[in-house]
Amino acid sequence: MTTTLASSDGDVPPPWSIIVARGDDDAPPPRSASTIVAARANRVLKIDGYSSTLKARTLRSFSFSAGGHTWHINYRCTGSSDNSSTDDDDYISFYLALEDEVDEPVMGQVTFSLLDQNGKPVPSRTRTTRLFSFSLSDSFGFQNFIRRKDLEQSGYLKDDRFAISVHLVITKGSPSVKVPPSNLHCHYGDLLSSKQGTDVEFIVSGGERFTAHRLVLAARSPVFKAELFGLMKEGTTTDAIQIDDMDAQVFEALLIFIYTDTLPKIDDEEDEAAMAQHLLVASDMYGLQRLMLICEDRLCNHINADSVATMLVLAEKHHCVRLKEVCFEFLSASTALVEFTESSDFLYFIQSCPSVFKDLIYNVVAAHGK
């Protein structure tokens, strides 16, 4: 259900409009002993014709229902509601207001999120109020939600339009503090993608360039720390650092993990296995032990007759004990071992890791002797 709104105290004519649309409700917040969630509602405020709204002090949405009450959203392009000229005039503000007369105050908490072009909240532009008691005409929100200049330069204002998610949680019981899960990785991910404050550049095989922050790299990788802050030439050079023998997509995934402790999702299983192999090598190169274990765990699920030789070589060169064990378990089956010895990869395996071949024979004999 979508409603087009055109209400303001500034008498500003179209071509601007505001739309409040029903949004998808998120998973309910956890309950505590002192606070019970009574209702939740999510609305999306769409501002179409942003430049025209700058002429008004306050724009008010049409009323909408949520949690058995009637509400509206106030949108101000000048931050402060009075006529004084302050730094707040550089900001955009949002407030949620209750319109009903109520016998008892309505306890609620509001989250405002700037939405990206895919309709997803921008973590660094998401703010949540404390738990408030709403009465008639009460409104709660943020006077300095976002600076106008920051919005206009963010990339989330497109074709003179942008959108805000307004998530309302109405509770029963006494107020309690809700601590959200850590979103530190989201902020660091935004830092990497924005490229703000970057002070080191890399040129990866193929000529693709990446920028990053020395302190973040050094904090996460002992190798980067030695390179960028030690006696190595990379620590003093201002030129781009050359990264050889690594695909640009792999280096990008490595940077994403360093900043967010997560890896890009890859739907295709073969591509996921190939990426895990390359990242295993890269993580060993830069001393990222957690990433090595993640890659090793993924590779354990991708062992077959075609890949087992490569997996054994990787396991030996990068000291992946569990990966080697799983390969031995796979080859302990007589049919798998026969297929392996008859494959073209068998000679590559023997030449690359002759010591592992001896271990393989020992493990196969032991498995069949039980």
Side-chain angles (χ1 to χ4, degrees):
M1 182 179 69
T2 302
T3 306
T4 302
L5 312 174
S7 172
S8 79
D9 65 1
D11 242 357
V12 178
W16 66 266
S17 66
I18 305 177
I19 297 174
V20 173
R22 185 182 300 276
D24 296 330
D25 288 334
D26 299 322
R31 299 182 178 187
S32 69
S34 58
T35 301
I36 300 176
V37 174
R40 300 180 292 116
N42 201 46
R43 295 294 185 271
V44 176
L45 181 69
K46 300 180 180 179
I47 310 297
D48 189 356
Y50 159 75
S51 58
S52 296
T53 66
L54 298 178
K55 301 173 184 177
R57 290 201 62 80
T58 302
L59 304 178
R60 169 184 157 166
S61 74
F62 284 149
S63 303
F64 61 90
S65 296
H69 299 283
T70 305
W71 312 81
H72 70 261
I73 301 166
N74 290 328
Y75 158 61
R76 294 179 185 144
C77 303
T78 53
S80 179
S81 60
D82 55 33
N83 295 321
S84 62
S85 177
T86 68
D87 291 340
D88 293 339
D89 290 345
D90 295 331
Y91 286 85
I92 292 174
S93 60
F94 292 97
Y95 296 88
L96 180 68
L98 177 66
E99 297 184 2
D100 299 336
E101 291 189 13
V102 290
D103 295 332
E104 295 182 1
V106 180
M107 197 71 69
Q109 189 174 39
V110 193
T111 299
F112 297 87
S113 300
L114 177 65
L115 300 183
D116 63 19
Q117 301 304 323
N118 296 317
K120 301 298 183 182
V122 179
S124 59
R125 296 298 181 184
T126 296
R127 299 180 65 180
T128 302
T129 68
R130 62 178 176 84
L131 206 56
F132 283 110
S133 296
F134 287 87
S135 298
L136 176 63
S137 300
D138 279 346
S139 63
F140 296 102
F142 296 97
Q143 181 169 300
N144 297 346
F145 180 76
I146 185 172
R147 195 184 298 269
R148 292 200 304 268
K149 181 176 67 173
D150 292 342
L151 172 65
E152 293 163 3
Q153 296 177 354
S154 66
Y156 304 120
L157 175 68
K158 189 173 183 180
D159 297 329
D160 211 28
R161 303 173 182 173
F162 73 99
I164 295 286
S165 169
V166 183
H167 185 76
L168 171 64
V169 176
I170 300 174
T171 64
K172 292 181 179 179
S174 59
S176 65
V177 176
K178 176 194 169 187
V179 180
S182 172
N183 61 352
L184 184 65
H185 64 288
C186 296
H187 292 292
Y188 273 88
D190 289 344
L191 182 67
L192 176 64
S193 60
S194 71
K195 300 183 180 180
Q196 292 181 344
T198 55
D199 54 2
V200 62
E201 184 177 26
F202 298 92
I203 302 178
V204 185
S205 301
E208 190 162 350
R209 293 174 176 266
F210 296 90
T211 57
H213 305 78
R214 291 173 182 264
L215 284 175
V216 176
L217 300 181
R220 296 280 282 160
S221 163
V223 177
F224 273 129
K225 184 177 182 180
E227 287 183 353
L228 300 174
F229 291 97
L231 299 178
M232 301 175 68
K233 66 177 183 179
E234 288 87 350
T236 57
T237 183
T238 57
D239 298 330
I241 299 173
Q242 185 74 37
I243 302 292
D244 297 317
D245 302 324
M246 188 181 299
D247 185 78
Q249 187 178 6
V250 176
F251 188 75
E252 182 178 24
L254 184 75
L255 284 180
I256 290 174
F257 181 84
I258 286 175
Y259 277 76
T260 68
D261 215 37
T262 61
L263 288 173
K265 184 178 180 181
I266 301 176
D267 295 326
D268 185 84
E269 289 189 5
E270 290 186 6
D271 291 342
E272 182 187 52
M275 176 62 78
Q277 291 180 41
H278 291 301
L279 280 175
L280 179 67
V281 177
S283 60
D284 192 15
M285 182 187 305
Y286 288 102
L288 300 170
Q289 294 301 316
R290 174 174 160 77
L291 179 56
M292 279 194 67
L293 292 174
I294 292 173
C295 293
E296 182 179 6
D297 181 64
R298 289 190 177 184
L299 292 177
C300 286
N301 298 318
H302 291 282
I303 296 174
N304 52 48
D306 295 327
S307 67
V308 66
T310 301
M311 299 297 190
L312 277 170
V313 174
L314 280 172
E316 176 66 11
K317 288 186 175 181
H318 301 284
H319 311 289
C320 300
V321 176
R322 181 54 185 159
L323 181 60
K324 185 190 295 187
E325 290 175 349
V326 175
C327 288
F328 286 167
E329 291 171 7
F330 172 80
L331 291 172
S332 63
S334 58
T335 55
L337 182 61
V338 170
E339 290 180 7
F340 177 54
T341 56
E342 294 177 350
S343 68
S344 59
D345 290 334
F346 184 64
L347 181 60
Y348 158 74
F349 165 64
I350 294 178
Q351 292 174 343
S352 301
C353 302
S355 62
V356 180
F357 178 65
K358 296 179 182 179
D359 293 339
L360 172 61
I361 298 301
Y362 173 82
N363 277 271
V364 170
V365 172
H368 287 279
K370 292 180 179 179

